[in-house]
Amino acid sequence: MAKSKSVFVCQNCGTESPKWIGKCNACGQWNTFVEELVVKTTKTSASQSFLATESAKPVAIKEVEISELPRINTSNGELDRVLGGGMVPGSLILVGGEPGIGKSTLVLQMALQVKSRKVLYVSGEESPQQIKLRADRIHPGGENCLVVSETSLEKILGHIKNTNPDLLVVDSIQTISSEVIDSLPGSVSQIRECTGAILRVAKEKNLPVILIGHINKEGNLAGPKVLEHMVDVVLQFEGDRNHMYRILRSIKNRFGSTAEIGIFEMLGNGLREVVNPSELLLSHHDESLSGVAIAAAVEGMRPFLIEVQALVSTAAYGTPQRSSTGFDLRRLNMLLAVMEKRAGFKLAVKDVFLNIAGGIKVNDPSIDLAVVSAILSSNIDIPMPSGVCVAGEVGLSGEIRPVTRIEQRIGEASKLGFERIIIPKFNKGIDFSKYEIEVFQVSKLEEAFKLLFA
Ligand code: TYD
Ligand code: MG
């Protein structure tokens, strides 16, 4: 009897070890090694046969002919935008996100809407009846969408051969397993083998594929990093499950920019594309409230205005609490220290709560100025003047640092009827006269505070 060999594989990064170890030497994670059986891969193993058939000759780069990449319109404007103008045939697109965030909904909705293309939707998580129930809620019809509940890689490859689809969806890659590998679905070697086999089919048939992926507790895509290297596009679907807004972010894109984001709203009948985010993210108060500041932010390539809310109150217990939703807590602590040290506000004994309205997470550093303004406004209990928005990154010495895409921010604020905007002094060389908004430039925190609250 042939002796089967087993190795221990780090489930985080895919490093192999002959014996079990507690901490992975490569990625530093603890307790990630799992025993997996090794199967001697035969010569026809997934990726090898694909490479063998392609024997291209090297050519001089200036002789390479470029043809405009054909794109498949997904009938979903926001998704097309994030993909850089639609799906490229033969590409592998990985969509990751927390459980229940709406990955299956997003992809099924697209599968139902995409015009005159045969879609094969393989689900390892739901039965065809469950998919049908969901499909009826979001988009009745769907004549071109075939569904099958399957977890075996070999059977899926068979279905592809028999149905010859124009688009393949696999929900999710962690539930699929190959018979040749003797380890559990979702393990590093299964994911590697299954993705490799699907990749080969995609390239051979020029078939675009959407893979849905789970994420682990740290918020990274579950499985080996090699999964992200193998696919052409990695999209992350994120948002607060208790709020309606979802953001689709591109983390990697071989055919376009990763700066684009798509915004959706989860409704009872599926996801709605949000074309004008500012109008939704601003709550419309009649009277001015203290602790609210409007930031002219840019996420992806799009400017939008978001509302930052702060509540500052005297700490009831010894250690003041700092909590933030949608904004990095460490950055909040840093801004509080800057306000204390450089602008002389005594916040060390205060509880500070910060919230970005709408439940979205913002990475743009230019909302710093709105954060400190909201905190100060709440601290002194004076509302910000109405019709004012701000944009600026705050540095460690209390200076207001320049921000990118300032003209887009000013344009968006002016479009939404704001009367004044405060921006960094160092954003130079801009002709403000073409905007119907009054622009104030500041170089220090105190100057901004004086303009706002004096
Ligand atoms: P789902 O797509 O199953 O999430 P994932 O595949 O990422 O795990 O979506 C989950 C949530 O979305 C579910 O809790 C219900 C909600 N939902 C709606 O609010 N409206 C809808 O039309 C649909 C289909 C789902
Ligand atoms: Mg799902």
Side-chain angles (χ1 to χ4, degrees), residues 174-289:
Q174 278 86 4
T175 54
I176 308 297
S177 61
S178 163
E179 284 152 21
V180 281
I181 293 194
D182 201 3
S183 60
L184 290 171
S187 65
V188 173
S189 26
Q190 283 290 10
I191 292 180
R192 206 186 281 158
E193 175 65 25
C194 295
T195 314
I198 294 171
L199 177 78
R200 178 173 48 116
V201 177
K203 302 291 167 195
E204 270 170 9
K205 289 183 169 289
N206 223 12
L207 169 73
V209 180
I210 298 184
L211 302 174
I212 293 179
H214 294 167
I215 61 171
N216 59 20
K217 56 181 187 293
E218 284 89 34
N220 302 317
L221 275 154
K225 268 274 172 253
V226 51
L227 176 61
E228 282 168 67
H229 290 300
M230 279 166 119
V231 300
D232 300 297
V233 180
V234 181
L235 303 180
Q236 181 138 331
F237 206 37
E238 57 187 47
D240 189 328
R241 228 188 311 166
N242 302 322
H243 287 80
M244 310 169 287
Y245 301 110
R246 304 281 185 271
I247 291 188
L248 186 67
R249 241 180 248 282
S250 160
I251 295 171
K252 163 183 173 176
N253 192 347
R254 288 196 181 137
F255 313 108
S257 143
T258 52
E260 281 293 1
I261 62 163
I263 304 177
F264 297 88
E265 186 181 4
M266 183 61 98
L267 301 175
N269 56 350
L271 291 155
R272 185 179 75 84
E273 298 170 33
V274 177
V275 183
N276 186 358
S278 302
E279 283 173 13
L280 283 165
L281 297 173
L282 296 177
S283 49
H284 304 276
H285 304 294
D286 290 337
E287 84 249 64
S288 301
L289 303 169

Side-chain angles (χ1 to χ4, degrees), residues 54-69:
E54 297 272 297
S55 59
K57 280 201 205 76
V59 284
I61 191 159
K62 59 186 254 230
E63 279 155 31
V64 177
E65 283 178 29
I66 3 173
S67 49
E68 187 60 40
L69 282 173

Side-chain angles (χ1 to χ4, degrees), residues 98-105 134 137-138 266-270:
E98 280 179 35
I101 204 77
K103 302 179 292 297
S104 306
T105 307
R134 188 198 297 254
R137 275 170 74 183
I138 57 186
M266 183 61 98
L267 301 175
N269 56 350

